[in-house]
Amino acid sequence: DNTSSTPASSNTTSSTTSNTTTSTTTSSTTSSATSSATSSATEVQLSKLADIKTIAKGTKVKFRGSYQGMNNKVYTFNGVQQYTSYFLADGNEWTQLFQFDKNLVPEGINIGDIVEVEGTTAHYTNKTNTYTIPEVTPTSIKKVTDETIVAGNWMTINETFHEALTLDMLNKGAHIENAVVLEKTTDAKYGNVTIDFKFGETNYTL
């Protein structure tokens, strides 16, 4: 989009008049200005994590968040080694980066570091259309400095607070304290571990 077309007169070897030269220069300048304006208009602007939930699936987005952990198991899809879950928060909301090339993750990223992400919304809606998980498939992840971004507010599930989970809690972090484990299973295909536990009469699945 940033390539300006070369005026035909610039490739000729014959001499030109002063008026022709002036006209050619003006045309080139106009073309360059138009190209620059087009580039600025198409640049993706920074969004808040809260906005990601409402942006339509398949939309290009850019946002920042505090890195809060990931599933570090590597899967291979279509010959590409990928991660499936990478969690970010900004003090108000959480979101998940889903199914992306593992080489996009910068080296030396620690819990609490701020990253800027560019990618495409890839929200998942279950088959019965009862809930949607906000997700983004990233094309770029880079570490940045941004003092306005803070870590998310984690939930604590324990003997005092153990209410049933709601859709508003999707993608939020949770501390689990002194739970009674009912069962632990491992998925044969992907190796994912599922733990069923409870507090009182309230059951949960991890």
Side-chain angles (χ1 to χ4, degrees), residues 9 13-14 24 29 43 55-56 75 79 81 107 109 114 117 120 132 134 138 145 148 158 163 166 178 191-192 203:
S9 60
T13 57
S14 59
T24 300
T29 302
E43 182 179 352
I55 295 176
Y75 301 90
Q81 291 188 319
E107 294 184 3
I109 291 292
I114 309 302
V117 177
T120 304
T132 297
T145 299
T148 68
N158 55 26
E163 297 179 6
T166 65
N178 301 319
N192 294 330
N203 291 358

Side-chain angles (χ1 to χ4, degrees), residues 9-204:
S9 60
S10 66
N11 293 326
T12 60
T13 57
S14 59
S15 60
T16 59
T17 65
S18 172
N19 289 338
T20 302
T21 302
T22 301
S23 176
T24 300
T25 302
T26 302
S27 174
S28 177
T29 302
T30 302
S31 176
S32 176
T34 302
S35 176
S36 177
T38 301
S39 176
S40 298
T42 57
E43 182 179 352
V44 179
Q45 301 299 313
L46 274 175
S47 297
K48 296 290 186 182
L49 287 188
D51 298 329
I52 299 299
K53 289 183 175 181
T54 61
I55 295 176
K57 183 176 180 178
T59 303
K60 291 183 179 180
V61 291
K62 179 166 65 174
F63 58 93
R64 292 176 176 176
S66 169
Y67 169 59
Q68 296 294 294
M70 66 179 292
N71 176 0
N72 59 8
K73 183 176 177 61
V74 177
Y75 301 90
T76 300
F77 296 99
N78 298 322
V80 179
Q81 291 188 319
Q82 301 183 352
Y83 291 130
T84 58
S85 299
Y86 191 95
F87 296 97
L88 300 174
D90 66 357
N92 296 303
E93 289 289 346
W94 295 68
T95 197
Q96 174 181 219
L97 306 185
F98 180 73
Q99 197 167 324
F100 59 95
D101 188 332
K102 73 181 189 68
N103 293 318
L104 289 178
V105 177
E107 294 184 3
I109 291 292
N110 299 306
I111 298 293
D113 287 344
I114 309 302
V115 297
E116 181 176 289
V117 177
E118 292 191 55
T120 304
T121 52
H123 307 322
Y124 169 77
T125 301
N126 68 329
K127 293 181 180 180
T128 57
N129 202 35
T130 55
Y131 67 85
T132 297
I133 299 176
E135 296 177 343
V136 173
T137 299
T139 55
S140 170
I141 305 172
K142 61 182 180 182
K143 185 176 179 180
V144 296
T145 299
D146 190 335
E147 295 180 357
T148 68
I149 305 295
V150 297
N153 296 318
W154 288 65
M155 303 166 40
T156 297
I157 303 175
N158 55 26
E159 295 174 351
T160 302
F161 177 86
H162 49 267
E163 297 179 6
L165 301 182
T166 65
L167 295 181
D168 292 338
M169 300 175 184
L170 279 173
N171 279 342
K172 292 186 179 295
H175 293 292
I176 302 169
E177 301 174 349
N178 301 319
V180 177
V181 176
L182 303 175
E183 184 179 17
K184 176 182 176 182
T185 57
T186 302
D187 178 81
K189 183 176 182 180
Y190 295 113
N192 294 330
V193 175
T194 299
I195 299 175
D196 295 316
F197 62 96
K198 72 174 184 176
F199 291 98
E201 299 302 317
T202 307
N203 291 358
Y204 299 87

